Structure formats: C-alpha cells, structure tokens
C-alpha cells in the first residue's frame, strides 16, 4: 500500500473542498471496499478524506411521517434497529445479509449505495419503499428518488465531491419481502436479489444484480395494480414480464439463464405471499 495523506475535515463543506483538490482523492466512510482495493493496488489515493469527522449524520431517527437514516449508519445498526425491524423488516433483513458480522459493523449504508453495485443489498428495499436521498455539497442540498440515484455500474447522479447525507423513508403500513440468492450463505455478492412491496393493494417490484442498476419493473407493477383479482395465472404472467425486462449477465456467480430462472421463481413466490395466493 502506497503512502497517502489522511485528512479529517470537520464540516461537509471542508470534506468536499479537500476532495476537489485532486483527481485521485477518496472519501472514507466504513472503508470495507476502499481498503481492500488499496491493498490490492487497484486504487492508489493521494488523499483519504475521513467522513466520520465531517458532520454527516450517522443515526436512525423516527419522525411522525418518515424515518431518516444517516449515511454513516452502519449496516449492523440498521439490521438491529428495533423500529427498522418493526416498520421496515425487509430493509433490516437486507442489511443483515450483506457480508459477515465484522463487515456489517464497519460498512455504512451510504457506502453500500454510493458504491453503486447493481447487486447492492440495501438498494432494492429502499427503491421499493419510495425512499429519497438527500445529497449535499456542503453549500446546497438536493433530494433525489432512490430509483433515480443509480445510473450504471459504479455510476450515480452524485456530482464531483457531492455526498450522500441522509436517507428519507416515508412511514407507511405497507409490507415488503426481500430475497437474496448467493453462491454461499455469507460474504458473497448476490447472484440475484429483489424486493416486492405492497401498499394499499399497489405493488412495487425491484430486482437487483440483473441489470446495470437495481431495476424497478413498472410494467409488471402495472399488470398487478390494474387487476381486479390476483390469482396464480396473473402472478405467473407478471413474473414473465419481469424476466423479459431484466438483462442479466453470465459471470462467476451464475449464468444469465440461471438468474432468469431464479427471478421468475422467486418474484412469483413473493407476490403470492403478499397477495395471499399459494404459488
């Protein structure tokens, strides 16, 4: 590992300013991805800017109409939060499926999202529940929908130096289910992950690891949401729409065809569970 300058700014504005001073500077949140890439020589930073001192929120707050999760909240905190487990249990489950307990004690939800992997475990629940992300450059803030945050593999809408500050989740009586399939039970990226969410008889379906971004399948949602009655035939037709929409690749974690089979089987199962239909 090469030498680098370690900076601990005390404000978001200061962190962004330091980041913009070079072309090879990196933010440090939990470091579970960054440190690995540095050790392997893939990244050779000039500066590491520690976000833990910069005033980014790290807690989980329950407000009257929304839940706010700071970007520096660890996945372990989210996994074990009593009211996340009560109100958004599928998000707690997703957080608890990422890596090992040691990794989850360090890894932050902000890092998991900003890394912009199509297989990010926390992405599909947040898109499904209608979350919004607060982005900040230290001077101004803006909000973007979770489903609009991802633009491609390792690509987001973040401008140079801009930070994900906080995640805002509307409180509702909706119910969701998260599913993840990986080669081994722990410490592996998803071959496929997904969240199916139902609120007031309206469905949202989000698939991960089968496109260049986590993907909301609106055509399948529309099929369900227009139906007067949800039965097995409709569920199977909806699953077929999902499979036709995704564009999985073949890699070390599974072939494209295998991913399609997983998606078709499990999206039907999750819809059936939420609709009370045996699949």
């Amino acid at each position: 590992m090469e030498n680098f300058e370690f900076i601990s700014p005390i404000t978001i504005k200061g962190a962004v300013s330091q980041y913009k001073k070079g072309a090879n500077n990196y933010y440090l949140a939990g470091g579970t991805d960054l440190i690995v890439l540095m050790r392997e020589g893939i990244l050779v930073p000039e500066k590491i800017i520690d976000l833990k001192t910069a005033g980014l929120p790290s807690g989980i707050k329950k407000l009257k109409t929304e839940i706010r999760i700071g970007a520096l909240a660890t996945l372990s905190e989210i996994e074990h939060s009593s009211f996340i487990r009560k109100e958004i249990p599928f998000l707690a489950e997703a957080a608890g499926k990422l890596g090992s307990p040691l990794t989850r004690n360090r890894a932050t939800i902000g890092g998991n999202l900003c890394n912009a992997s199509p297989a990010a475990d926390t992405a599909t629940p947040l898109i499904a529940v209608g979350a919004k992300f607060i982005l900040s450059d230290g001077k101004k803030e803006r909000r973007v929908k979770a489903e609009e945050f991802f633009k491609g593999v390792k690509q987001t809408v973040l401008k140079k130096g801009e930070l994900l500050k906080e995640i805002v989740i509307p409180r509702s009586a909706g119910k969701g289910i998260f599913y993840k399939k990986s080669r081994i039970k722990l410490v592996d990226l998803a071959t496929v992950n997904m969240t199916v969410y139902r609120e007031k008889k309206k469905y949202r379906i989000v698939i991960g690891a089968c496109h260049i971004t986590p993907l909301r399948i609106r055509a399948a949602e529309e099929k369900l949401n227009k139906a007067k009655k949800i039965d097995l035939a409709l569920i199977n037709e909806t699953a077929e729409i999902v499979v036709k929409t995704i564009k999985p690749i073949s890699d070390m974690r599974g072939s494209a065809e295998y991913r399609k089979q997983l998606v078709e089987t499990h999206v039907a199962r999750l819809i059936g569970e939420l609709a009370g239909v045996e699949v």
Side-chain angles (χ1 to χ4, degrees), residues 103-116:
T103 298
R104 295 195 293 274
N105 285 341
R106 289 287 305 173
T108 65
I109 191 167
N112 184 240
L113 296 167
C114 292
N115 192 42

Side-chain angles (χ1 to χ4, degrees), residues 4-141:
F4 55 87
E5 185 179 358
F6 189 84
I7 298 171
S8 298
I10 60 173
T11 63
I12 295 174
K13 184 178 179 180
V16 173
S17 175
Q18 287 291 340
Y19 183 92
K20 289 182 175 180
K21 287 181 179 179
N24 208 25
N25 298 334
Y26 292 88
Y27 289 129
L28 172 67
T32 53
D33 284 320
L34 177 63
I35 301 303
V36 171
L37 295 174
M38 289 172 62
R39 284 177 176 167
E40 294 178 352
I42 296 171
L43 296 181
V44 185
E46 295 174 10
K47 294 181 181 179
I48 297 292
I49 299 134
D50 187 8
L51 296 179
K52 292 186 290 296
T53 62
L56 283 175
S58 60
I60 303 170
K61 295 186 292 186
K62 181 171 67 170
L63 305 178
K64 185 175 182 179
T65 60
E66 63 191 26
I67 293 172
R68 291 193 170 218
I69 302 176
L72 293 186
T74 67
L75 295 171
S76 183
E77 288 176 295
I78 295 165
E79 176 189 6
H80 297 293
S81 165
S82 59
F83 60 85
I84 294 290
R85 292 169 75 97
K86 180 180 178 181
E87 296 199 19
I88 325 171
F90 52 98
L91 176 60
E93 182 180 359
K97 291 286 180 69
L98 191 149
S100 69
L102 289 175
T103 298
R104 295 195 293 274
N105 285 341
R106 289 287 305 173
T108 65
I109 191 167
N112 184 240
L113 296 167
C114 292
N115 192 42
S117 166
D121 288 322
T122 60
T124 67
L126 291 172
I127 293 171
V129 81
K132 292 183 179 179
F133 298 165
I134 299 176
L135 314 181
S136 175
D137 64 2
K139 298 178 182 178
K140 296 181 294 184
E141 293 184 354

Side-chain angles (χ1 to χ4, degrees), residues 44-271:
V44 185
E46 295 174 10
K47 294 181 181 179
I48 297 292
I49 299 134
D50 187 8
L51 296 179
K52 292 186 290 296
T53 62
L56 283 175
S58 60
I60 303 170
K61 295 186 292 186
K62 181 171 67 170
L63 305 178
K64 185 175 182 179
T65 60
E66 63 191 26
I67 293 172
R68 291 193 170 218
I69 302 176
L72 293 186
T74 67
L75 295 171
S76 183
E77 288 176 295
I78 295 165
E79 176 189 6
H80 297 293
S81 165
S82 59
F83 60 85
I84 294 290
R85 292 169 75 97
K86 180 180 178 181
E87 296 199 19
I88 325 171
F90 52 98
L91 176 60
E93 182 180 359
K97 291 286 180 69
L98 191 149
S100 69
L102 289 175
T103 298
R104 295 195 293 274
N105 285 341
R106 289 287 305 173
T108 65
I109 191 167
N112 184 240
L113 296 167
C114 292
N115 192 42
S117 166
D121 288 322
T122 60
T124 67
L126 291 172
I127 293 171
V129 81
K132 292 183 179 179
F133 298 165
I134 299 176
L135 314 181
S136 175
D137 64 2
K139 298 178 182 178
K140 296 181 294 184
E141 293 184 354
R142 61 189 179 111
R143 291 191 179 204
V144 299
K145 294 178 180 179
E147 65 183 285
E148 296 173 355
F149 181 73
F150 305 97
K151 291 300 179 184
V153 179
K154 305 292 184 181
Q155 297 177 351
T156 70
V157 298
L158 287 167
K159 299 174 184 177
K160 183 176 175 62
E162 193 173 36
L163 290 163
L164 170 57
K165 180 181 177 182
E166 206 165 16
I167 297 149
V168 181
I169 303 170
R171 297 183 69 181
S172 75
K175 181 182 178 182
I177 307 174
F178 174 80
Y179 169 75
K180 175 180 179 178
K181 174 66 176 178
S182 54
R183 293 175 303 168
I184 53 178
K185 190 173 182 180
L186 294 175
V187 200
D188 195 12
L189 293 176
T191 302
V192 160
N193 60 26
M194 66 181 72
T195 299
V196 178
Y197 180 75
R198 182 190 183 194
E199 182 181 4
K200 296 179 180 178
K201 298 184 179 181
K202 299 295 183 183
Y203 290 80
R204 295 177 194 151
I205 301 168
V206 189
I207 309 296
C210 287
H211 192 69
I212 60 171
T213 65
L215 188 63
R216 185 172 171 188
I217 315 295
R218 290 184 177 273
E221 295 173 0
E222 186 176 352
K223 181 81 171 177
L224 289 174
N225 294 339
K226 286 184 175 181
K228 294 181 179 180
K229 179 183 177 182
I230 295 179
D231 56 19
L232 182 58
L234 179 66
I235 290 173
N236 289 334
E237 289 172 14
T238 303
E240 289 176 9
I241 292 172
V242 174
V243 170
K244 289 177 181 178
T245 306
I246 60 175
K247 296 179 180 179
I249 62 170
S250 295
D251 61 14
M252 61 187 294
R253 292 181 175 84
S255 67
E257 188 57 36
Y258 176 56
R259 284 184 160 99
K260 288 180 179 180
Q261 291 174 4
L262 283 173
V263 168
E264 185 169 17
T265 297
H266 291 285
V267 80
R269 178 178 62 82
L270 268 54
I271 294 168

